[in-house]
Amino acid sequence: QVRLFESGGGSVQAGGSLTLSCAASYTRTYSQYYMGWFRLAPGKDREGVASIDPDGTVKYADSVKGRVTISRDNAKRSLSLQMNSLNADDTAKYFCAAAVSRGSRDLLDPGAFHYWGQGTQVTVSS
């Protein structure tokens, strides 16, 4: 089964930028996966940030729309999340996730995804 490994997290001042990366291994069908980024902040539920279909269709949470860009490189089996204009509300652990099929759930719903990475911490200081 696919394994996912996130990187790129860190500490940044408000207004700054970060790019998160996710590498997928143990799969030869990465291009067929639905991919997503989620985040978990203390005291909050896991929240969908962005998703991207196999055909490149993207979806963003309202809270990040206009500030983040999700992209995928199927040849490299990688997923990225470019985040700009970060604020304290973006502080969370960010997870990469993969789904083998679209299903009936919204692609910002964590329940739609089957495989998860271990996460990478993003801390934004004001």
Side-chain angles (χ1 to χ4, degrees):
Q1 65 185 41
V2 64
R3 300 271 182 92
L4 303 171
F5 303 90
E6 301 94 339
S7 61
S11 297
V12 63
Q13 288 191 327
S17 300
L18 275 177
T19 298
L20 305 183
S21 299
C22 173
S25 62
Y26 299 99
T27 177
R28 281 182 271 181
T29 59
Y30 175 76
S31 63
Q32 299 174 27
Y33 283 93
Y34 295 81
M35 300 298 298
W37 283 102
F38 294 81
R39 64 188 182 185
L40 182 62
K44 296 185 178 180
D45 292 332
R46 190 170 298 204
E47 174 190 20
V49 177
S51 66
I52 184 167
D53 289 11
D55 65 1
T57 300
V58 299
K59 185 171 186 177
Y60 297 101
D62 289 342
S63 58
V64 301
K65 201 171 291 183
R67 300 190 295 117
V68 306
T69 302
I70 187 172
S71 60
R72 66 190 299 164
D73 185 331
N74 290 331
K76 295 182 179 179
R77 290 179 291 179
S78 66
L79 182 74
S80 296
L81 187 72
Q82 170 71 43
M83 302 189 294
N84 301 314
S85 302
L86 288 163
N87 59 64
D89 289 340
D90 296 315
T91 294
K93 193 167 188 178
Y94 284 71
F95 298 85
C96 168
V100 298
S101 60
R102 178 67 170 85
S104 59
R105 295 185 187 230
D106 188 280
L107 285 176
L108 294 181
D109 179 349
F113 289 81
H114 309 103
Y115 304 104
W116 294 84
Q118 294 299 305
T120 185
Q121 180 68 36
V122 172
T123 302
V124 183
S125 58
S126 55

